[in-house]
Amino acid sequence: MDLADQAGFQINAQWFRAHLGVNAETEAYLVATLDDAPIAGAMLHLVPAGHPSGPRAARLTALVVDEDHRGGRLGLALLGYCEQRARDMGADTLEICLPTGQHSLDGFWDHHGYERHAAYRHHPPTLWAKTLAAGR
């Protein structure tokens, strides 16, 4: 199973065309590779102004590590980078909003300071959120 399938996404040529023009001020797409093959990735974006989440929230919409490379702290490294990138974009909260069907990461989020968050109902739902400390 490829990395996109493991993340619950269908990525094709149209998806790449749409995301190649990334706005670095409001979104980030991260890919970790080994021997030129993707082994982990994350997608992060700033929540648009006027959204109920507030003007200073960022949302993590993908975090996946290839099943053959799990357990090596790669997910933690990606999360740390995403938290810092969210701060750099001006966010003070990071919401976790992953596709349903992924294996449970509840213990991972809890262990890294995220709290259950059910204030907003959208697809996929925001299940976890964390207030980001400045400069960490």
Side-chain angles (χ1 to χ4, degrees):
M1 181 181 307
D2 74 12
L3 196 59
D5 291 331
Q6 292 175 52
F9 289 96
Q10 291 189 353
I11 298 177
N12 55 33
Q14 277 185 292
W15 188 93
F16 278 108
R17 278 193 291 279
H19 290 85
L20 284 176
V22 65
N23 179 346
E25 293 180 18
T26 61
E27 53 192 333
Y29 299 89
L30 306 126
V31 178
T33 62
L34 179 65
D35 297 327
D36 291 326
I39 59 168
M43 294 176 14
L44 172 76
H45 70 270
L46 200 58
V47 175
H51 190 277
S53 292
R56 297 181 45 89
R59 190 167 289 152
L60 185 67
T61 57
L63 178 69
V64 62
V65 176
D66 183 78
E67 55 198 2
D68 293 335
H69 295 90
R70 293 181 186 151
R73 303 179 62 86
L74 189 51
L76 179 58
L78 281 174
L79 179 61
Y81 182 86
C82 287
E83 287 178 356
Q84 185 56 53
R85 188 71 189 94
R87 283 185 205 91
D88 294 346
M89 287 191 277
D92 57 18
T93 302
L94 182 57
E95 300 176 344
I96 307 303
C97 186
L98 300 175
T100 56
Q102 280 189 289
H103 67 282
S104 176
L105 292 172
D106 290 353
F108 178 82
W109 302 124
D110 184 59
H111 182 74
H112 296 292
Y114 287 79
E115 296 179 355
R116 286 260 181 217
H117 177 67
Y120 306 107
R121 302 277 183 219
H122 49 81
H123 182 76
T126 300
L127 298 176
W128 296 89
K130 178 180 180 179
T131 300
L132 302 170
R136 287 187 42 186

